[in-house]
């Protein structure tokens, strides 16, 4: 085999390697699109469940205001209220209570992440996060976490009144 034949084969091997690399990159891009679509689907389902749970709190604790949350922090909902505190011998002050639960936006980490921040009478009572890789998501577990966090907040708020 002379040099020209070896050169031609080397060029063919290089072209094949380039085609394989482009194919792998295309498959990776498709996989990324699939992950984004899956995250969006989960986000919609969880956001609806968050909304359903948090809309019930003002029915049991009048004074709470419900609001949808759509921001760079995520999608979800929050309930909050401001109260006046007339403690003995002290000037009147305002106290703030809030529960916010959101699904974080999609990231290159390819995880589904749920967060909850609870504050009662100006004191943060919890700051929770639950996440799973998109490929391993058990949506029922996320819904159970939402239920648990809302129920825990309701119990702690009722105890502080």
């Amino acid at each position: 085999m002379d040099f020209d034949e070896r050169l031609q084969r080397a060029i063919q091997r290089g072209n094949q390697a380039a085609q394989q690399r482009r194919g792998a990159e295309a498959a990776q891009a498709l996989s990324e699109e699939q992950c984004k679509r899956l995250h969006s689907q989960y986000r919609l389902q969880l956001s609806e469940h968050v909304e359903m749970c948090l809309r019930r709190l003002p029915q049991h604790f009048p004074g709470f205001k419900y609001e949808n949350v759509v921001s760079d922090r995520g999608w979800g909902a929050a309930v909050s209220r401001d109260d006046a505190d007339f403690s003995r011998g002290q000037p009147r002050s305002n106290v703030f209570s809030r529960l916010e639960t959101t699904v974080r936006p999609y990231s290159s980490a390819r995880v589904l992440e749920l967060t909850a921040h609870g504050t009662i009478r100006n004191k943060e009572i919890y700051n929770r996060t639950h996440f799973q890789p998109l490929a391993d998501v058990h949506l029922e577990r996320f819904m159970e976490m939402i239920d648990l966090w809302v129920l825990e907040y309701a119990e702690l708020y009722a105890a502080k009144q």
Side-chain angles (χ1 to χ4, degrees):
M1 184 179 325
D2 69 349
F3 180 77
D4 286 332
E5 289 176 14
R6 292 190 322 197
L7 180 61
Q8 192 61 29
R9 287 188 181 174
I11 292 170
Q12 286 176 346
R13 285 193 306 271
N15 287 337
Q16 287 175 348
Q19 282 181 328
Q20 288 175 347
R21 187 183 70 247
R22 284 191 295 269
E25 288 170 356
Q28 177 68 19
L30 180 61
S31 176
E32 185 74 13
E33 281 302 312
Q34 288 173 338
C35 285
K36 286 179 182 178
R37 198 171 311 122
L38 191 59
H39 183 275
S40 181
Q41 175 188 344
Y42 289 148
R43 177 185 50 83
L44 288 171
Q45 289 176 303
L46 291 176
S47 295
E48 288 176 5
H49 190 71
V50 166
E51 180 180 331
M52 179 198 67
C53 291
L54 290 185
R55 281 194 183 274
R56 292 182 179 169
L57 278 179
Q59 296 169 5
H60 298 280
F61 299 112
F64 272 97
K65 295 179 219 158
Y66 172 86
E67 64 182 274
N68 287 318
V69 175
V70 179
S71 70
D72 58 343
R73 294 183 321 239
W75 295 267
V79 291
S80 62
R81 69 182 282 161
D82 287 313
D83 293 307
D85 185 14
F86 298 102
S87 297
R88 288 184 235 147
Q90 295 186 5
R92 181 182 77 82
S93 64
N94 290 339
V95 291
F96 178 74
S97 299
R98 179 179 175 87
L99 174 61
E100 179 178 311
T101 305
T102 57
V103 179
R104 301 281 297 159
Y106 178 78
S107 72
S108 60
R110 294 185 179 185
V111 296
L112 182 63
E113 183 178 3
L114 179 69
T115 62
H117 306 281
T119 303
I120 297 176
R121 301 181 66 77
N122 295 343
K123 292 183 183 171
E124 184 176 57
I125 57 166
Y126 62 71
N127 187 355
R128 306 259 168 81
T129 300
H130 178 73
F131 63 92
Q132 290 180 338
L134 281 171
D136 302 330
V137 166
H138 296 287
L139 204 55
E140 300 80 24
R141 180 72 179 130
F142 278 88
M143 290 187 180
E144 289 171 3
M145 293 305 294
I146 293 166
D147 293 348
L148 178 69
W149 293 344
V150 172
L151 294 172
E152 183 180 6
Y153 184 86
E155 183 177 342
L156 291 169
Y157 185 81
K160 299 258 184 198
Q161 285 189 354

